Amino acid sequence: MGTFQIEGGHKLKGEITPQGAKNEALQILCAVLLTPEKVIIENIPDILDVNKLIKILENLGVKIQKLGKGKFAFIADEINLDYLESELFKQEGSSLRGSIMIVGPLLARFGKGYIPRPGGDKIGRRRLDTHFEGFINLGAKFRYNKEERFYGVEAPKGLKGTYMLLDQASVTGTANIIMAAVLAKGTTTIYNAACEPYIQQLCKMLNAMGANISGVGSNLLVIEGVKNLGGCTHRILPDMIEIGSWIGLAAMTRSEITIKNVSWENLGLIPETFRKLGIKLNKKGDDIHIPSQKEYEIQGYIDGSILTVADAPWPGFTPDLLSIVLVVCTQAKGSVLIHQKMFESRLFFVDKLIDMGAKIILCDPHRATVIGHNFQSNLKATTMVSPDIRAGISLLIAALSAQGTSTIHNIEQIDRGYENIDERLRAIGAKITRSES
């Protein structure tokens, strides 16, 4: 396992450019399976999870050519479906939760799709029912091998459009169903669809390939099935979760940082949520400038009650940034309630922050109350293990603000979602070194 050594307590300064969005990349890459024609994708992040998916596509028979940094061409004209039932796929597919999204495109184009039970972050239960109920509604037959924990859907006569009301606005579930429905016969209507920018980007890409999707950006999508799709060129958005991470980093280290090319129109409530924590951030063109602040004060509600920051489906606040918000609040002036509604294990990293001196009360698996230090008491360096991507980056930010030298093990979790993070942080003044153990 890899390890970071972080010497905290240093102010940072400079510019940082966010990588391409991990969550969008996982969807967009799966969509190349829908056509035998060339698809060019730009701004692909060089991170573990995305690289795993690219390897799965290559093993499926997709021809892949690297055209430049973050730019690849994909041609899926000779797909090897036998790979789906191989031992290699069982190993590779089960290590990446995003691999579930190859099922929709394969089902639509070839009439069958299989996936081992996927892995990913250990942040609680993450049901796959939405995906498979959507496929069944489109006419596929579902099978599950309980012993090998292997899922499959088949529709040898093709899929047929229908109306469906999703039981939850699952982002990956919505993406998978959309990719299945674009080649189905007739009209598919999806109500309670996720409408995150990632889904909007997927729909825009599919429409550029010849799909007919309307309602993009809303929770009611109407998809008129087409017979085939062609190639296109698509550019992935900057990663909003990384942007939020850098805002939190600037606040906790009291640093002046400019985040370049953030695509402001796709950030939703992220800037306003950090402003409610007292963090100043300015819009400069398409950049975010965060000035150095000696302190930041949490805003209460107008009736004087304590602020609650909670996650919600888009356009609500993204659950991926609640870990960052929690860490930022440990040095704020005031108190806040963090309510993580979606995943029951995502707050379990707070014991590490408490070890560092943070004042946090874990109320239950979903809620934590944070009493800010207002920088009157610095966090203390410690040794930690990164449990998942978002907790990992949160602990890294805490370590960069702490007094002394911290050690973070299992940094592969951070590498799954953040590209060359140690190099990029050193470029703005962070004291961080990587070692292999």
Side-chain angles (χ1 to χ4, degrees), residues 8-194:
H10 299 284
K11 281 194 175 184
L12 313 179
K13 187 177 178 66
E15 297 180 347
I16 195 161
T17 301
Q19 66 189 30
K22 166 185 178 278
N23 291 339
E24 179 187 340
L26 294 176
Q27 297 177 22
I28 295 302
L29 287 169
C30 293
V32 307
L33 294 168
L34 285 164
T35 178
E37 297 185 16
K38 181 185 287 189
V39 176
I40 296 174
I41 304 177
E42 301 172 346
N43 204 28
I44 297 175
D46 183 10
I47 55 177
L48 285 181
D49 276 10
V50 168
N51 292 337
K52 279 184 181 180
L53 182 56
I54 290 174
K55 184 63 178 176
I56 288 172
L57 293 176
E58 187 175 46
N59 288 336
L60 261 172
V62 179
K63 300 180 182 73
I64 302 172
Q65 181 184 5
K66 186 170 184 178
L67 304 176
K69 178 174 169 50
K71 184 176 181 180
F72 289 79
F74 301 86
I75 302 176
D77 59 348
E78 293 181 313
I79 296 300
N80 174 24
L81 295 177
D82 291 339
Y83 165 69
L84 296 176
E85 301 186 63
S86 68
E87 287 299 319
L88 178 62
F89 179 57
K90 290 175 184 177
Q91 294 173 14
E92 295 181 336
S94 62
S95 70
L96 174 66
R97 187 169 186 84
S99 62
I100 181 67
M101 287 183 289
I102 69 171
V103 176
L106 291 173
L107 177 65
R109 187 171 160 207
F110 301 103
K112 60 181 179 179
Y114 308 117
I115 193 75
R117 184 174 179 177
D121 286 328
K122 306 302 181 186
I123 56 176
R125 291 168 293 176
R126 304 167 80 186
R127 296 187 295 112
L128 297 175
D129 298 58
T130 303
H131 300 251
F132 290 105
E133 286 173 1
F135 299 147
I136 292 166
N137 284 334
L138 291 168
K141 290 185 178 180
F142 172 73
R143 61 186 178 91
Y144 176 48
N145 184 323
K146 193 172 184 179
E147 291 181 1
E148 297 186 6
R149 305 175 90 186
F150 208 74
Y151 301 92
V153 278
E154 298 174 346
K157 295 182 180 179
L159 300 173
K160 187 176 181 181
T162 187
Y163 170 88
M164 63 182 83
L165 174 61
L166 304 188
D167 65 339
Q168 59 173 344
S170 163
V171 177
T172 55
T174 299
N176 228 346
I177 295 167
I178 290 170
M179 289 187 282
V182 289
L183 295 180
K185 297 175 183 176
T187 302
T188 300
T189 302
I190 309 173
Y191 197 22
N192 195 31

Side-chain angles (χ1 to χ4, degrees), residues 14 55 108 118 135 151 169 179 210 222 225 230 266 268 359 362 404 413:
K55 184 63 178 176
F135 299 147
Y151 301 92
M179 289 187 282
V222 178
N266 290 296
K359 294 180 181 178
L362 187 60
Q413 288 288 349

